[in-house]
């Protein structure tokens, strides 16, 4: 492991520690937050629970965070759900509408959820490890996935190769925090940012509209897609464990006929029409560009 990758691991551990401390502080704040009106107290509790579930269900792990927090550990720095859950746990410990005997149970439940959200990104690869082939298998310039859940690291290997960086599916799987449950979009961002940073490049979030990619120099890229007609794809949204990519491809460029040239780690090099890409693209993609801060 190089010094650069050791740095990203340290940064990840630091982010996890900071989020744990913030969750504890949020719990203490919830314990101290008291209102005279039971009705208002209930409204705050319900609102806090709603916020926690909204963060966990809709915003946790999305690439939009990488636009605001450009760090390899953005998966943790954007992880506000355990903080909200900690605050809810503190509130539940003294909410008058809850029976006194029920309060410890509710507090424990929210603490279990909070701990789960803090631990899940680094625990998933440990408890659900990917067993991948080494070296990577290639087909027409496309790194082929060796496991049904390894499309993200395989697509990332193809993108890095196009930028002059040689690596393996196994190495990317580790850097992306992939598991047999799939790869979180921000995990994919972490892997690409870690490897690209070693070679004077940086990972950037691409436009949500594919027609803007060529003009903005955002090709090639890795794009998250979904297929409504296929069964057995990894779950695209789960509360505990965050969003995982349904499928990840490498968008290689455009053909002379205006079709999109796709590096699909499941089948190899193919082409899609504009309609096919727009119907399947989730709006999340990552490309690499020169890091102008590196002399």
């Amino acid at each position: 492991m190089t010094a650069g990758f050791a740095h990203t691991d340290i940064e990840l551990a630091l982010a996890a520690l900071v989020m744990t401390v913030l969750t504890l502080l949020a719990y203490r704040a919830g314990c101290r937050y008291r209102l005279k009106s039971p009705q208002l107290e209930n409204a705050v509790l319900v609102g806090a629970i709603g916020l926690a579930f909204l963060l966990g269900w809709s915003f946790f792990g999305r690439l939009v965070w990488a636009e605001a927090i450009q760090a390899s550990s953005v998966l943790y720095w954007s992880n506000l759900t355990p903080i909200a859950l900690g605050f809810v746990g503190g509130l539940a410990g003294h909410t008058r509408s809850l029976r006194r005997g029920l309060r410890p149970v509710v507090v424990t439940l929210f603490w279990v959820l909070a701990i789960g959200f803090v631990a899940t990104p680094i625990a998933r690869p440990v408890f659900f490890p990917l067993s991948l082939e080494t070296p990577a298998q290639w087909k027409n310039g496309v790194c082929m996935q060796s496991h049904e859940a390894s499309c993200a690291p395989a697509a990332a290997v193809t993108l890095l190769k196009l930028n002059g960086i040689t690596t393996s599916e196994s190495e990317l799987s580790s850097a992306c925090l992939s598991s047999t449950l799939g790869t979180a979009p921000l995990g994919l961002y972490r892997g690409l940012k870690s490897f690209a940073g070693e070679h004077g490049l940086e990972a950037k979030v691409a436009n949500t509209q594919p027609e803007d990619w060529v003009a903005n120099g955002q090709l090639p890229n890795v794009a998250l897609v979904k297929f409504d007609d296929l069964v057995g794809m990894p779950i695209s949204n789960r509360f505990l464990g965050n969003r995982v990519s349904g499928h990840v491809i490498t968008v290689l460029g455009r053909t002379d006929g205006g079709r999109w040239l796709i590096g699909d780690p499941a089948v190899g090099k193919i082409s899609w029409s504009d309609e096919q890409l727009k119907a399947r693209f989730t709006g999340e993609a990552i490309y690499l560009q020169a890091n102008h801060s590196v002399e």
Side-chain angles (χ1 to χ4, degrees), residues 32-78:
R32 294 173 178 273
Y33 190 84
R34 298 177 182 273
L35 296 168
K36 294 182 179 180
S37 169
Q39 291 77 18
L40 187 56
E41 189 177 62
N42 290 338
V44 171
L45 179 63
V46 171
I49 293 174
L51 176 62
F53 275 79
L54 177 65
L55 289 170
W57 187 261
S58 299
F59 294 102
F60 183 33
R62 298 197 63 175
L63 280 182
V64 64
W65 289 108
E67 297 184 81
I69 308 172
Q70 297 180 13
S72 62
S73 57
V74 61
L75 181 61
Y76 264 107
W77 294 124
S78 63

Side-chain angles (χ1 to χ4, degrees), residues 220-238:
N221 64 43
V222 290
L224 281 65
V225 296
K226 62 177 187 283
F227 300 94
D228 294 333
D229 56 340
L230 294 183
V231 181
M233 302 296 287
I235 297 173
S236 61
N237 201 335
R238 56 175 64 219

Side-chain angles (χ1 to χ4, degrees), residues 10 59 68 86 90 95 97 102 133 153 172 189 191 208-209 211 237 251 261 266 275 288:
I10 293 173
F59 294 102
T95 298
S97 61
L102 186 61
E133 294 181 10
L172 256 298
Y189 175 82
T208 59
Q209 301 300 321
E211 57 265 26
N237 201 335
V251 184
L261 192 58
E275 292 73 20
L288 303 179

